[in-house]
Amino acid sequence: MDVDAQHQPPQAAESSAQALKRLLEQPPRCPTPRAPSPAAFHPRTSAFIYPPPMPSACRVASTFAPHPPSQVAFPPVPTTSYNATVSPDGAWVTTYLTSALPTSPADSGTLLVYASSVLSPAMLPTDAMPVATFILPSPPLAIAHLYPPRALTPAGRARPRGPRPPPAHTAEHGPTFLALAADQLYLFYPRPMLVPAADMSGYSDVSWTLAMLRVPLDVGARVDAASPVPRPSARIDRGWMQLTPGDRAVWIATQTGDTVSVMRVDVRTDLEGALAVETTVLPVTRIRGGLLTSVVFYAEPTPSGVRDHPREVRAALLFNLDDNQARVNLYTLRWGAVETASSFAEIGLGDAEPRLQRWSIGKRATHHLPDTTIIAVDPLIDVSSGSLCMALLSSPAGAVIAHLDVAKGALIGERKLIHHDIADAVVVASPGLHRASVGVVAVVQNSLHNPTFFPGPQLQTGDINKQTAQAVVLAMAQRADWSDCMRCAFSQADDKKATAEAIIRHTYDLLRTRGHVLGVLQVQVAALANDTRCQYALELVRIVETCRLFRLAMLGDGAYETNTVWFLLDVFDWSVSALGQILRDAVLARTWHEWTSDSAAPPAFDAPSRAVFILHPQLRALVLDWIKHLEAFAAFVARLDRPILPALALEKDARGTLVGQMRIADTLAREGVDLALWGAALGAANTPFPEQDLETALLTLTPAPLAQFTSLLDALPSPSPLFMAPEPEPVDGVTFAPLEPGAPGALAMCDRCATRTRLAAGRGLMRGDVPSPWTSWVRLWNVSCMCGGTWLRTKA
């Protein structure tokens, strides 16, 4: 039905495309000062932190899959939190909260620093305590974390960027970052403090706290902890801050009215290990036409074999002009000798060259991008020469995401047209794109509740599945999350099953020489969603990790840490139950093969089956190692004559030992598993297989390629009690305790494998005294699931 034909309003409402065109045709004006990147990807998990459109705490969305976002456990006060950043190692999170009731002109808001456990779904606002708070007179315009690791890219390890870390630097003591405000620059860094002994006879320990240095913006200065507090500088309108590969400094650009200033910031360590900040202010550049949208710094790589290469850094100023085109002004920041008048030679060193050197700025080139308006950019400083940006653009065809090379003033690679309103939008590239691999681009708007993720454009055409596998392996090598890589691949896949199989195959080819079976299994869990093989791969991942837990809890000579024994009983229960399922499937596969070998029934080994755990020698060795750990733990508990620490108890109790011994015996009897019998049977198996068949069986988790070698299964025992076990019950994804309905505590679900865990009180705590093996285990998997996914709060 044509609604407009029945009722024509006095003035027709404009469409979103017309509104966007009208917005872009308006004369340029200086936007409201705000953080260039108010959102951030967490480097170790699939969490994407972004500000909400209303006064509230920041939210967390999953990069892996479209799950409902959750709220970060920042203080429950009616203020706006924004400019969330994450340290390069993922251990620390910063945010800025505006003051609801300012007490003074200097009280604009508070900068808070949290441990990354604040992102845990187990954390509540009443439990989350910041490690440091700082009242600032104005919100940060930009934040730059120092000492990032060198990224791994397809071309090799990226160049180091930013200042060198102090000797014996460790991120566990706290983050080190620069915050650019409207009137000052702040350096936040961890500082040791001596803890007095209880008897006041000296010092018993060293604790760490965050300290702050204030640095002026309008003059060059050297500031350390002993320097007086500088006066506030003249307020700036906007600011950009960036670490540049190949240069050991931080570069800052500030805009005040129609002028742009550039500052170089060196963070050095003195002989006593204290930090000092040295700044150099370069001459002011005046804006001549256009609206400045962003400033990008980069440094050309040093040519190989050239020793005395000049110290140069390039600054690219990006403008939007009135005639719907963009302009890139390039400037060269050069370190060199200062030219002096010849008359000064009379009072100098005769014919000697002048030795005075300083940083200077000079214009290099100007590029224009016709029919293009730059909405937002995110510099990809580790890609190529560092001159690439992920840009959100407006063109006659619509909104476009593409790589912008500011050195050439041109778009390169693939251009992705998106159907999205881009007014007041900010673009954030995922870690995969920052490693010159595949990833997603997040578009965040103040007017929308949730971010929108788009597959990132490719710099070069090629097999997207192979590029995804390479990106996953690079992320694994750096212990980084690779959810963005998988989402990019599957969001563009027409045949998701073929895409999954191709990514698994390419990942295996890259990891084969390293023997990283766990990495292949984790990729199988992520790629084989809604597939039976996903559950099988997840079980293998759990087998690997439970073996690691038993090794962690073992003290030697067959003994285990007594404070951990009670919790290992739940792990033992699940392990024996899962082992019984594997053995039953193997015996059933053998029996079905015997019955159907001469009939028209489907072959027994064509479908995925846990029988491959027994047939495949690499997986069989894993299961055999698992059985040995279970047998050793059961033997230790059986002969234990000391009290253990039960759950929720304050003291060790001999009754806990008796209950543990009874649980071990009941579990083995209930599941019908004889650990010694099966250990001997699997240990005696030694059947060679062709390498190609082994690869196919491992990648598909299907025993079909190994079906002709059924003699191995024929030699396995088949005790009757094995088939009298009850159906397995769902267990906690971290503790392996039964997930009882109606139990206290909220639930969290993994965004990859859908495993659930009970959010117990205190699970979000990350630091403290030396933990027990079990406490270390819980803390480790409270951050992420064993499959590599991220925990998200969910309903029961």
Side-chain angles (χ1 to χ4, degrees):
M1 180 182 292
D2 190 354
V3 179
D4 292 337
Q6 294 185 1
H7 177 70
Q8 181 69 28
Q11 183 178 359
E14 62 179 355
S15 64
S16 58
Q18 292 172 334
L20 179 60
K21 182 179 179 181
R22 174 179 54 80
L23 177 66
L24 296 177
E25 291 176 349
Q26 292 179 354
R29 58 185 177 85
C30 185
T32 303
R34 64 188 182 100
S37 299
F41 286 90
H42 194 280
R44 295 289 187 263
T45 68
S46 63
F48 178 73
I49 312 168
Y50 66 98
M54 60 186 68
S56 178
C58 288
R59 295 180 178 178
V60 175
S62 172
T63 310
F64 181 77
H67 292 279
S70 59
Q71 186 165 301
V72 183
F74 291 151
V77 292
T79 63
T80 301
S81 63
Y82 62 98
N83 201 15
T85 66
V86 183
S87 61
D89 60 347
W92 307 96
V93 177
T94 68
T95 188
Y96 181 83
L97 298 182
T98 58
S99 295
L101 298 174
T103 58
S104 66
D107 182 13
S108 171
T110 305
L111 180 72
L112 300 99
V113 180
Y114 288 90
S116 61
S117 57
V118 72
L119 303 177
S120 168
M123 188 66 69
L124 299 176
T126 54
D127 299 330
M129 296 297 295
V131 297
T133 59
F134 300 92
I135 297 177
L136 301 182
S138 60
L141 301 176
I143 291 179
H145 287 267
L146 305 185
Y147 317 136
R150 296 174 62 184
L152 296 176
T153 69
R157 189 175 292 274
R159 292 177 293 167
R161 49 189 168 97
R164 291 183 175 87
H169 167 76
T170 173
E172 295 180 357
H173 297 156
T176 303
F177 61 96
L178 288 166
L180 175 64
D183 57 357
Q184 279 184 337
L185 175 67
Y186 300 91
L187 172 66
F188 300 92
Y189 64 98
R191 183 176 62 184
M193 294 184 62
L194 298 177
V195 178
D199 57 358
M200 304 305 292
S201 59
Y203 299 98
S204 60
D205 198 0
V206 177
S207 64
W208 291 83
T209 182
L210 279 187
M212 178 179 67
L213 293 180
R214 296 179 175 89
V215 184
L217 294 176
D218 49 3
V219 295
R222 185 188 187 281
V223 178
D224 56 24
S227 302
V229 177
R231 59 172 180 81
S233 307
R235 295 181 66 86
I236 61 175
D237 295 329
R238 291 192 298 168
W240 299 265
M241 184 161 47
Q242 187 178 322
L243 278 68
T244 304
D247 187 75
R248 289 297 187 179
V250 182
W251 289 92
I252 296 176
T254 60
Q255 178 186 2
T256 305
D258 60 348
T259 61
V260 176
S261 298
V262 176
M263 172 187 289
R264 175 185 170 92
V265 181
D266 291 283
V267 180
R268 296 189 172 93
T269 306
D270 60 17
L271 297 178
E272 297 180 356
L275 292 182
V277 180
E278 297 181 9
T279 60
T280 303
V281 179
L282 278 66
V284 175
T285 301
R286 187 171 299 276
I287 299 176
R288 302 188 183 277
L291 171 64
L292 180 63
T293 61
S294 185
V295 179
V296 179
F297 296 94
Y298 68 97
E300 296 288 349
T302 302
S304 58
V306 178
R307 297 183 58 185
D308 298 328
H309 189 67
R311 296 174 60 187
E312 289 185 357
V313 175
R314 310 286 167 76
L317 278 61
L318 311 182
F319 294 90
N320 285 329
L321 306 182
D322 297 342
D323 53 353
N324 288 337
Q325 68 171 326
R327 185 182 73 218
V328 180
N329 287 355
L330 290 180
Y331 294 85
T332 299
L333 314 175
R334 180 188 291 267
W335 172 261
V338 178
E339 296 182 1
T340 58
S342 58
S343 58
F344 282 92
E346 300 176 359
I347 59 176
L349 298 177
D351 296 333
E353 293 291 334
R355 298 184 180 181
L356 179 62
Q357 292 184 321
R358 69 177 182 183
W359 285 94
S360 61
I361 183 171
K363 192 170 183 179
R364 179 179 179 87
T366 300
H367 303 290
H368 288 84
L369 286 80
D371 298 326
T372 302
T373 301
I374 300 174
I375 305 300
V377 298
D378 184 13
L380 306 177
I381 53 183
D382 285 327
V383 180
S384 185
S385 63
S387 62
L388 291 183
C389 298
M390 186 58 62
L392 177 62
L393 311 167
S394 175
S395 68
V400 174
I401 297 177
H403 288 89
L404 171 62
D405 191 343
V406 296
K408 302 176 181 178
L411 303 179
I412 63 174
E414 183 184 13
R415 306 181 188 184
K416 285 194 175 291
L417 184 66
I418 62 173
H419 302 284
H420 197 274
D421 186 8
I422 56 177
D424 194 30
V426 173
V427 62
V428 186
S430 69
L433 295 173
H434 280 275
R435 291 190 293 268
S437 301
V438 299
V440 296
V441 177
V443 177
V444 184
Q445 291 179 272
N446 290 338
S447 58
L448 297 180
H449 288 267
N450 300 326
T452 307
F453 297 98
F454 299 96
Q458 294 180 261
L459 281 173
Q460 298 178 350
T461 58
D463 186 355
I464 183 65
N465 299 326
K466 190 173 184 178
Q467 293 179 2
T468 301
Q470 185 182 44
V472 169
V473 173
L474 287 174
M476 288 180 177
Q478 208 160 6
R479 297 184 178 180
D481 183 75
W482 37 270
S483 300
D484 58 325
C485 309
M486 300 297 286
R487 184 163 186 172
C488 174
F490 282 95
S491 62
Q492 306 175 84
D494 296 327
D495 187 348
K496 289 183 169 49
K497 182 178 180 181
T499 298
E501 293 176 352
I503 293 176
I504 294 171
R505 160 59 69 177
H506 291 309
T507 304
Y508 175 79
D509 291 340
L510 293 172
L511 293 177
R512 174 169 45 187
T513 57
R514 307 178 188 179
H516 288 182
V517 178
L518 179 60
V520 177
L521 296 174
Q522 289 178 333
V523 172
Q524 288 176 319
V525 173
L528 298 173
N530 302 321
D531 192 302
T532 307
R533 293 174 294 174
C534 176
Q535 179 62 30
Y536 295 162
L538 178 61
E539 290 180 6
L540 289 170
V541 170
R542 288 182 172 179
I543 292 174
V544 172
E545 297 301 341
T546 51
C547 289
R548 184 179 302 175
L549 173 60
F550 280 114
R551 284 192 294 269
L552 182 67
M554 185 176 290
L555 299 177
D557 298 330
Y560 290 83
E561 214 271 341
T562 54
N563 291 342
T564 305
V565 169
W566 181 269
F567 303 100
L568 287 179
L569 294 174
D570 287 329
V571 182
F572 182 87
D573 286 350
W574 173 84
S575 298
V576 174
S577 176
L579 177 61
Q581 286 183 294
I582 296 172
L583 302 178
R584 281 190 293 272
D585 285 3
V587 174
L588 289 174
R590 181 191 64 188
T591 304
W592 181 255
H593 177 72
E594 293 174 351
W595 288 350
T596 60
S597 58
D598 297 330
S599 65
F605 297 102
D606 283 356
S609 169
R610 294 185 181 89
V612 72
F613 296 7
I614 304 300
L615 285 172
H616 197 286
Q618 196 169 6
L619 301 182
R620 183 171 66 252
L622 175 62
V623 173
L624 184 59
D625 183 51
W626 190 33
I627 292 176
K628 290 180 179 178
H629 282 292
L630 297 177
E631 193 174 5
F633 178 74
F636 169 76
V637 175
R639 65 174 183 269
L640 187 62
D641 56 357
R642 291 171 292 164
I644 62 174
L645 184 67
L648 304 179
L650 299 179
E651 296 180 354
K652 295 182 179 181
D653 195 331
R655 291 174 295 182
T657 304
L658 180 61
V659 171
Q661 293 171 342
M662 294 175 59
R663 286 185 60 180
I664 292 288
D666 290 345
T667 299
L668 294 174
R670 182 183 69 246
E671 301 296 335
V673 175
D674 188 332
L675 295 176
L677 174 67
W678 284 102
L682 296 181
N686 187 18
T687 304
F689 293 94
E691 185 66 26
Q692 184 63 37
D693 294 341
L694 292 176
E695 291 182 6
T696 304
L698 178 62
L699 298 181
T700 61
L701 294 181
T702 303
L706 312 178
Q708 64 271 31
F709 300 97
T710 56
S711 58
L712 190 150
L713 294 180
D714 294 339
L716 295 180
S718 54
S720 300
L722 188 65
F723 295 90
M724 300 176 63
E727 287 293 325
E729 298 180 356
V731 297
D732 190 289
V734 175
T735 64
F736 292 96
L739 278 178
E740 300 177 358
L747 288 174
M749 183 181 68
C750 173
D751 62 352
R752 288 189 191 174
C753 66
T755 297
R756 300 196 175 206
T757 182
R758 184 76 64 183
L759 301 177
R763 285 272 298 276
L765 299 179
M766 294 292 292
R767 282 167 173 75
D769 297 330
V770 178
S772 66
W774 179 254
T775 303
S776 300
W777 168 271
V778 172
R779 289 181 179 180
L780 174 64
W781 300 121
N782 181 52
V783 177
S784 62
C785 180
M786 297 179 196
C787 73
T790 301
W791 297 116
L792 302 175
R793 185 178 286 266
T794 184
K795 297 181 180 179

